[in-house]
Amino acid sequence: MSDDQELGITESKEHSTGEWYAEVVRKAGLANYGPEGMSGFIITRPRGYALWETIRNELDARFKATGVQNAYFPMLIPESYLEREKDVVEGFDPEVAWVTQGGYEELDERLAVRPTSESIIAPYLSQWIRSYRDLPTRVNQWCSVIRWEATETKPFFRTKEFLWQEGHTAHATEESAWSETLTRLDQYEEVYEDVLAMPVLRGKKPEHDKFPGADTTTTVEALMPDGKSVQGATSHYLGQSFAEAFDITFTDETEDERVAHTTSWGLSWRALGALIMTHSDDQGLVLPPTMAPEQVVIVPIWQEETKDDVLTYAEAIASDLREAGLRVELDDRDEHNPGFKFNEWELKGVPLRIEIGPNEVEEATTTLVHRPDGESAEADRDGIVGAVRDHLDTVHAKLYAAAEENLTENVREASDRAEILGTIGQHGGYVKAPWCGDEDCEAAIKEPVAAEIVLVPFEGEESDTEPIHEGETCALCEDDAVETAYFARSY
Ligand SMILES: [Zn+2]
């Protein structure tokens, strides 16, 4: 197989989304599948990990600016700890991997590989927190967790082990804990929009789909081009159930003993899957400039007699851009022609290409080409830094606008079961309908078309997800509607 064939994406995003996604992940050098016998595990290659590091750095800076400190807890949790919150046991039991032996010795108590860490973090919050002066307490950890799901592996979307962050906080009052829950949801939304160039819908999960033990689970949801929703991140107000189970109490100003309110919140590398799925195309990976390991690639185009001039000119431009803090690759390889280089950097998702040939040198210009749509423009050599910055902003804006258009066009209303089923079947996307709050009414949609309620709006939230009008009836039964349900198929 020649290099050219190996570089090309052969699957179609529109017609075989799953195969196309797998091919982009592999050919853009992001991840490999794990060894045989370890289905569900992936190897994250340096280019894939670099993307995760950017998301991590962006979030980490926001957390630290708002009172969060990082810590690290063991990956193993004693079974007796896991059992202290009964909803956690029921919620995660089918997916927990267990360690039963250490070396040659059988363990007295088996140890869970963390599916999430509330049960090992809460007991220590309990030790650390004595008085109201210790509150709020906020810790976050960057780690991996394991959930032993038997579904088909999809790198970054569905893997048994995945990277994430999990934040855990304790507060004196419900108000403070709820405000924390929303602060983290705001930060997730901001990272999706400003860093990943993806609009999201925000709301809460229906009662029957909350995090086990939580009072309220809030979520940001992103719509993929194939009409399925991705749960982008969740932030949970845990109420007092964990604090009661793990004895997180404090003395208040009047020396009374009180039970804390806790939260937890997490974003996983599924964000990376959503990013790849949203922007990439049949030429390969497409990345917003904020995420791209190389924001700009300079491809010099020379003949033997112009090579020195072209390269000297290209190097000076690369140096100017690097000095300005931009991430730049100058592709001066001899062994590949410019066309090959264009294809390779398109596959790898570099947002902006600068072409430099003898004409550009002579006229003191450059040719800039946008990765998402191939639009090209000329920019003067003088002022190249400003021009590149403007074009990178334009690329981000184009990507965001395309994703926003997909979202806006794919939120539809329906008023009865047939209409919900028909709309999801025909268009995918979100279908919003008045809902009584009963899980049985969701089942009437879930069974035939595998769509579920991915979100319901917050009360009073100013957004696209406005609450239900009074006096409406559930689209699926005769009862009064209490919420607007957003049905969608999801990843
Ligand atoms: Zn109903």
Side-chain angles (χ1 to χ4, degrees), residues 436 441 474 477:
C436 63
C441 285
C474 175
C477 71

Side-chain angles (χ1 to χ4, degrees), residues 132-447:
Y132 69 92
R133 292 184 194 86
D134 300 322
L135 297 175
T137 293
R138 302 181 176 97
V139 293
N140 175 65
Q141 73 173 350
W142 292 94
C143 64
S144 75
V145 294
I146 289 189
R147 295 181 188 170
W148 212 267
E149 293 180 89
T151 45
E152 202 183 337
T153 309
K154 200 176 191 69
F156 308 120
F157 275 116
R158 208 160 277 283
T159 50
K160 289 194 177 87
E161 180 184 23
F162 57 86
L163 292 175
W164 78 344
Q165 59 70 217
E166 47 177 316
H168 300 265
T169 69
H171 305 257
T173 63
E174 173 175 351
E175 190 187 20
S176 168
W178 180 243
S179 157
E180 176 80 19
T181 306
L182 292 184
T183 296
R184 303 309 157 199
L185 195 70
D186 289 345
Q187 290 177 333
Y188 292 140
E189 181 177 19
E190 188 180 294
V191 166
Y192 269 97
E193 296 195 341
D194 296 351
V195 180
L196 305 180
M198 294 168 59
V200 289
L201 292 182
R202 35 187 287 147
K204 56 182 186 175
K205 290 291 175 186
E207 283 296 303
H208 61 265
D209 195 27
K210 294 185 309 193
F211 178 77
D215 179 273
T216 308
T217 287
T218 68
T219 181
V220 288
E221 299 279 326
L223 184 64
M224 298 296 101
D226 64 356
K228 288 188 195 171
S229 183
V230 171
Q231 180 180 296
T234 48
S235 181
H236 317 288
Y237 167 53
L238 298 174
Q240 292 179 302
S241 62
F242 283 86
E244 274 160 8
F246 292 95
D247 200 26
I248 306 175
T249 58
F250 64 99
T251 50
D252 67 12
E253 286 94 328
T254 56
E255 294 295 313
D256 282 336
E257 184 86 351
R258 288 171 51 195
V259 178
H261 296 255
T262 63
T263 78
S264 67
W265 24 276
L267 176 142
S268 79
W269 70 14
R270 180 179 284 190
L272 204 45
L275 170 81
I276 299 162
M277 183 71 85
T278 297
H279 301 306
S280 302
D281 61 22
D282 288 351
Q283 276 69 55
L285 194 62
V286 174
L287 295 171
T290 37
M291 288 297 300
E294 304 89 359
Q295 295 169 305
V296 179
V297 61
I298 302 176
V299 180
I301 303 163
W302 68 70
Q303 305 292 330
E304 212 40 53
E305 64 276 16
T306 54
K307 182 175 176 181
D308 285 350
D309 287 347
V310 167
L311 276 183
T312 305
Y313 185 80
E315 276 159 10
I317 288 174
S319 159
D320 284 4
L321 295 173
R322 285 188 189 121
E323 263 171 43
L326 294 160
R327 300 186 290 275
V328 181
E329 176 77 23
L330 170 59
D331 189 350
D332 57 2
R333 291 175 296 175
D334 274 320
E335 68 272 27
H336 294 302
N337 63 38
F340 178 94
K341 293 176 182 178
F342 293 172
N343 288 339
E344 181 175 331
W345 294 110
E346 279 178 5
L347 173 68
K348 288 181 172 174
V350 180
L352 191 67
R353 179 171 80 228
I354 303 184
E355 299 174 6
I356 293 170
N359 286 344
E360 278 84 2
V361 176
E362 192 145 317
E363 288 158 23
T365 60
T366 59
T367 300
L368 310 183
V369 184
H370 296 183
R371 166 64 181 91
D373 57 3
E375 185 185 331
S376 72
E378 200 173 273
D380 290 339
R381 169 69 182 87
D382 292 337
I384 184 69
V385 170
V388 165
R389 285 220 172 95
D390 288 347
H391 281 272
L392 290 174
D393 287 347
T394 305
V395 169
H396 184 101
K398 278 182 183 176
L399 294 177
Y400 188 89
E404 192 177 38
E405 190 181 333
N406 179 50
L407 175 59
T408 316
E409 284 177 355
N410 287 292
V411 180
R412 298 179 177 85
E413 288 183 41
S415 54
D416 60 37
R417 180 169 181 267
E419 202 180 353
I420 297 171
L421 291 175
T423 307
I424 286 174
Q426 193 186 345
H427 303 287
Y430 299 107
V431 177
K432 53 179 187 175
W435 178 49
C436 63
D438 190 337
E439 189 178 358
D440 288 346
C441 285
E442 183 197 54
I445 301 300
K446 202 169 186 174
E447 279 152 24

